[in-house]
Amino acid sequence: MSIGQAVALGIALVVVLSAAAIFTLAYRREAETKQVGTLDKAARRRSRRAAPVVAATAPALEEEVDQVEETDTSPPAKQEPIELSPAEFGEARRQFLNRATGASFGAFLAFFGITSLAFLWPRLKGGFGGKVDAGDIAEIKAAIFQPDGSIEPFYVAEAKTFVVPFDESVISETDFDGIGVVVEGLTGLFQKCVHLGCRVPWCASSQGFECPCHGSKYNAAGEYEAGPAPRNLDRFALEAVDGRLVINTGSARDTPRAKRKTVQYPQGVNCL
Ligand code: FES
């Protein structure tokens, strides 16, 4: 996983945790508010009952108790609706708006976090953006080198990469030295033109890559040859693991226009 992906994953986790914290706080505040409201009503009821007892004289109290006993068997009185003062109504409305705003914000954060994780998930498992197993190195070389001495790039669709030969005997004279892009005499070129991003096709007759959008040309090693492209084709870090070529598509390298070309171009008729 590249640093960029790790940062994005960290942001997504923070967002999800923030959403969870907001929901938890909102729930606790609502529970506290409910508890306070229950106590207030209960206290009001107690005080309403207590007031006549304090004020009443003994005979009046006995009379009242008799009346209560007489009316005990009757069905409970219908609860009267509680009327709210304008201040109480305003308070209730403010609470509702606060909760609605908090819930909307929390839902947005949760949605953002989940979609970010969903976006990153395939990259963590592999595929473009992660490490791609291109295949057995011997078989890749057998597919590249043609009987007539020409080459045909080995295309790895999952990595959007052309695997091509690279002459390691001259790598110290190039900008590709020490950046991990050449392994076992092979290098992996990202298919995207470094000018404006068109996919660059292979031209078998000239033995190079020629961009159909604005005419940039690169030789078989992906080195800049002509056109508006500002540099060589970008390439990915490679590893050889148990005889297999692994392309790290989360780790692209760019290099300036090559001064020292490692392969001749063109070797025949251009396609453009
Ligand atoms: S996008 Fe390839 S030359 Fe412009």
Side-chain angles (χ1 to χ4, degrees), residues 192-200 210-218 226-229:
K192 213 166 86 170
C193 181
V194 296
H195 178 224
L196 292 177
C198 294
R199 184 181 185 277
V200 190
E210 300 181 2
C211 182
C213 294
H214 311 99
S216 289
K217 294 183 175 69
Y218 313 85

Side-chain angles (χ1 to χ4, degrees), residues 116-167:
S116 299
L117 284 174
F119 176 72
L120 288 170
W121 186 248
R123 296 182 174 205
L124 298 177
K125 288 194 303 183
F128 190 74
K131 290 186 177 181
V132 175
D133 182 349
D136 183 84
I137 290 175
E139 290 176 10
I140 291 173
K141 285 183 176 177
I144 289 174
F145 294 106
Q146 304 301 305
D148 62 359
S150 66
I151 69 154
E152 187 69 35
F154 182 82
Y155 183 64
V156 184
E158 197 180 357
K160 301 179 182 176
T161 297
F162 292 103
V163 179
V164 292
F166 192 90
D167 183 359

Side-chain angles (χ1 to χ4, degrees), residues 51-64:
V53 172
V54 172
T57 58
L61 184 60
E62 283 172 14
E63 206 174 297
E64 194 171 315

Side-chain angles (χ1 to χ4, degrees), residues 23-69:
F23 273 124
T24 306
L25 283 174
Y27 176 80
R28 286 180 59 183
R29 198 160 62 176
E30 187 175 338
E32 285 169 5
T33 308
K34 270 184 187 167
Q35 197 175 12
V36 169
T38 306
L39 287 174
D40 284 349
K41 285 176 193 169
R44 277 209 297 268
R45 257 186 253 119
R46 275 200 303 276
S47 75
R48 268 206 298 273
R49 282 193 197 119
V53 172
V54 172
T57 58
L61 184 60
E62 283 172 14
E63 206 174 297
E64 194 171 315
V65 169
D66 290 343
Q67 281 175 1
V68 170
E69 284 173 354

